[in-house]
Amino acid sequence: MQKYSIFNLVKNAFSNHQNWDLAWKDPEPKEEYDVVIIGGGGHGLATAYYLAKEHNITKVAIIEKGWIGGGNVGRNTTIIRSNYMHDENGLFSEFGMDLWRKMSQDLNYNVMFSPRGIINLAHSDAQMNAYARRGNSMRLNGIDAVLLNREEVKEIIPMADFSENVRFPIFGGLMQPSAGTARHDAVAWGYARQADDMGVDIIQNCEVIGFDVSAGKINGIRTSRGNIKAKKVGLCVAGSTNILAEKLNMTLPIETHLLQACVSEPVKPVLDSVVTFGAGHFYISQSDKGEMVMGGDLDGYNSYAQRGNLPTLQHVLTEGIAMMPFLSKLKMLRTWGGIMDMSMDGSPIIDKTHIDGLYLNCGWCYGGFKATPASGWTFAHTIAQDRVHELNAGYSLNRFNTGHLIDEKGLGTKTWIS
Amino acid sequence: MRPQIEFSYGGDASVKRPELNKEISDQEWDDFVYNRKSLRGKHLELWQHISGCRQWIKVERDTATHEIFKTFKADEEVA
């Protein structure tokens, strides 16, 4: 594989960049694979990459219904963080932060990881206490956390509304300085290019229409491009999880919901960290191109539409303007939606299933992008070793049955009360 | 015709609470509380007219197109 470097960039400039190798091939599906990963998004591509790199399993196919990186890895707001209170989420995400820091070198692909920090705003003494507790829990797990008072927040985001007579006055905030953003498409493409180079077949425009299961064991999948035998099959299909689960006669603690995001026209640098305004269901960052990247809550009903309705967007932007009044002067450039696999406790599932050789990776809610490397790494381990790693042991499928829920955000059982 | 913002979502209406005064297994509770089919296409769901008459209704709606086919009273049995 051609290495991406300044020297190769200069060399290829002489031939007008016409002679670069394809980043990945477009192979026909083979008859049989050791592992088939369904879903060519960030998590699926990362899983295939770590199967090859960490476990030397290269007879692997990624089966993607559309094109790779066209789902949630191309639709998120690129935020990377590990500011969780509970051990399961904190340790898992912090392991992921290490992978993020090394990713551009590891993949020989500039994913533009930018650790610019994330601030969760607090609006009362009680919320400051809760954030102090969360910050302490994070630090006990080796995650950086700083409790900021009102003046310290003002230093970082002077453009926010710091007047006294607002519904949610800013009391302070909890900051994770090492959190940040990355170029989301580059993550998908970087994993795809390396996985392809190690022998993984990336098969696009190939829809899974059924599974071949006998005597409690998976033997392969049926697709729009023919049957494919497989010793092991991993599901990484986010919002489409329930559709495939139905074909396996499984009912999961997952509902598919719609989440929107939007960007403004590009403006000069004004915001150099990620800011969340939880009380107002709003968060914001500024992309390298200068667009203000904004998002908020779910639309609030089951949906597979990948496009949202205006009331939610209006709510999100109303709250945004309440926090940062200058936003009212900006024009909207683009809005879009993606479909989220909302789990019933707000935490993901990476586990084996009751079917031998079938593995499940789902329930990422609206936090899937930052988890991409850790999810791929632990899912690859779970598939290769046929047992969960200690990092994803808490993300079991049966925790809902046994009562071992991860009560991170207190969402409880009603994902639509968010 | 009423605007969407008057309504609040109440989830899958096909889920049935296990009958009381009977032996109920953990699996039955699990299915009632957590497990959902989350169908793509026709989906029977509960909505509350929260900024209006506050009644609960059942709505048959397409989760892929957002088209609403039919509404029912909350206690109406839907075949």
Side-chain angles (χ1 to χ4, degrees):
Chain A
M1 182 177 60
Q2 245 173 328
K3 199 171 155 62
Y4 289 164
S5 68
I6 184 79
F7 305 109
N8 271 328
L9 193 65
V10 171
K11 195 175 119 195
N12 278 278
F14 290 109
S15 52
N16 287 324
H17 299 289
Q18 298 299 304
N19 297 326
W20 286 101
D21 290 346
L22 283 179
W24 52 84
K25 298 176 281 290
D26 183 23
E28 283 299 312
K30 295 191 186 86
E31 200 175 309
E32 188 176 359
Y33 291 95
D34 288 341
V35 180
V36 164
I37 303 294
I38 304 172
H43 291 218
L45 293 162
T47 303
Y49 168 73
Y50 291 113
L51 275 172
K53 183 179 173 236
E54 303 286 338
H55 305 279
N56 212 15
I57 299 173
T58 54
K59 231 180 135 191
V60 176
I62 292 168
I63 307 295
E64 167 56 47
K65 183 172 125 181
W67 63 95
I68 58 165
N72 293 343
V73 73
R75 292 163 189 264
N76 60 79
T77 47
T78 79
I79 295 163
I80 293 160
R81 58 187 176 86
S82 59
N83 52 355
Y84 287 102
M85 189 168 85
H86 286 277
D87 292 351
E88 293 91 341
N89 291 329
L91 296 171
F92 178 89
S93 305
E94 187 57 17
F95 176 78
M97 292 301 294
D98 270 343
L99 295 175
W100 279 112
R101 288 187 269 267
K102 293 182 278 195
M103 191 181 287
S104 290
Q105 293 300 324
D106 191 22
L107 298 180
N108 177 229
Y109 206 109
N110 186 3
V111 300
M112 297 164 76
F113 176 54
S114 162
R116 57 182 71 182
I118 186 168
I119 302 170
N120 306 128
L121 294 177
H123 312 280
S124 66
D125 288 328
Q127 211 179 353
M128 285 298 283
N129 288 342
Y131 276 163
R133 181 181 176 224
R134 172 136 72 103
N136 285 332
S137 300
M138 287 165 62
R139 292 170 75 129
L140 284 171
N141 279 333
I143 304 162
D144 56 327
V146 185
L147 195 65
L148 305 175
N149 63 28
R150 182 180 160 87
E151 291 310 311
E152 289 164 327
V153 173
K154 203 171 180 177
E155 284 276 302
I156 302 171
I157 49 165
M159 77 299 278
D161 188 348
F162 281 88
S163 51
E164 306 276 342
N165 296 321
V166 289
R167 172 64 185 85
F168 295 108
I170 296 171
F171 272 53
L174 181 66
M175 184 173 194
Q176 185 190 5
S178 68
T181 59
R183 171 93 179 100
H184 51 185
D185 294 324
V187 175
W189 298 335
Y191 275 124
R193 176 166 162 268
Q194 288 293 340
D196 174 89
D197 186 57
M198 288 188 285
V200 172
D201 280 357
I202 298 172
I203 299 159
Q204 305 181 76
N205 298 309
C206 181
E207 183 177 0
V208 173
I209 50 182
F211 294 86
D212 179 9
V213 180
S214 61
K217 191 181 176 330
I218 194 103
N219 302 311
I221 58 169
R222 293 194 293 278
T223 79
S224 56
R225 291 170 68 176
N227 295 349
I228 299 170
K229 282 189 229 160
K231 295 188 185 78
K232 294 177 176 179
V233 174
L235 260 59
C236 284
V237 293
S240 301
T241 300
N242 287 89
I243 298 173
L244 290 187
E246 195 191 355
K247 297 181 200 297
L248 290 156
N249 293 321
M250 289 169 76
T251 312
L252 298 173
I254 303 272
E255 270 185 7
T256 294
H257 281 249
L258 180 58
L259 184 66
Q260 299 189 70
C262 57
V263 295
S264 75
E265 60 186 326
V267 289
K268 286 185 177 175
V270 58
L271 178 63
D272 62 357
S273 57
V274 182
V275 180
T276 76
F277 174 30
H281 314 148
F282 175 80
Y283 66 89
I284 187 166
S285 65
Q286 188 171 21
S287 75
D288 294 328
K289 285 183 285 183
E291 303 150 328
M292 306 308 292
V293 186
M294 300 169 280
D297 258 351
L298 296 174
D299 269 34
Y301 42 81
N302 289 40
S303 177
Y304 287 90
Q306 287 190 314
R307 64 177 191 285
N309 280 320
L310 284 174
T312 305
L313 206 55
Q314 187 175 23
H315 170 72
V316 168
L317 294 170
T318 304
E319 300 290 348
I321 289 166
M323 189 185 87
M324 291 188 177
F326 82 96
L327 293 174
S328 68
K329 309 283 186 208
L330 300 184
K331 293 189 185 74
M332 181 79 79
L333 189 67
R334 204 163 62 241
T335 82
W336 66 93
I339 54 173
M340 310 292 121
D341 36 336
M342 300 301 297
S343 72
M344 293 290 163
D345 65 352
S347 292
I349 296 163
I350 308 177
D351 204 357
K352 299 164 65 170
T353 64
H354 70 284
I355 299 169
D356 204 16
L358 182 79
Y359 305 85
L360 198 58
N361 183 336
C362 61
W364 290 99
C365 301
Y366 16 57
F369 176 67
K370 65 162 184 297
T372 304
S375 163
W377 195 95
T378 53
F379 198 40
H381 180 280
T382 304
I383 294 171
Q385 312 274 331
D386 194 37
R387 61 185 165 86
V388 296
H389 189 270
E390 61 179 15
L391 284 169
N392 64 313
Y395 294 157
S396 65
L397 176 56
N398 75 350
R399 70 176 183 269
F400 300 92
N401 193 299
T402 59
H404 292 86
L405 276 71
I406 304 170
D407 188 22
E408 184 73 46
K409 285 179 74 188
L411 286 179
T413 60
K414 302 289 185 283
T415 51
W416 29 270
I417 305 174
S418 52
Chain B
M1 192 75 101
R2 309 296 311 177
Q4 183 210 323
I5 51 168
E6 289 184 11
F7 293 86
S8 168
Y9 188 55
D12 188 336
S14 70
V15 177
K16 285 225 162 39
R17 190 186 174 90
E19 275 184 51
L20 296 177
N21 306 321
K22 271 188 183 170
E23 189 70 22
I24 302 164
S25 68
D26 285 355
Q27 188 56 49
E28 281 172 283
W29 279 123
D30 204 18
D31 286 339
F32 169 62
V33 181
Y34 298 119
N35 292 331
R36 295 292 178 269
K37 290 206 170 79
S38 192
L39 300 173
R40 187 181 196 278
K42 269 191 188 175
H43 189 236
L44 189 69
E45 51 203 27
L46 289 165
W47 287 80
Q48 189 187 10
H49 193 204
I50 194 147
S51 304
C53 65
R54 302 192 68 82
Q55 279 207 56
W56 283 90
I57 52 167
K58 282 180 190 168
V59 176
E60 192 182 56
R61 191 180 62 94
D62 193 309
T63 57
T65 65
H66 298 164
E67 184 183 355
I68 291 171
F69 302 107
K70 227 174 160 184
T71 58
F72 308 86
K73 287 181 178 151
D75 58 357
E76 212 172 319
E77 282 296 323
V78 181

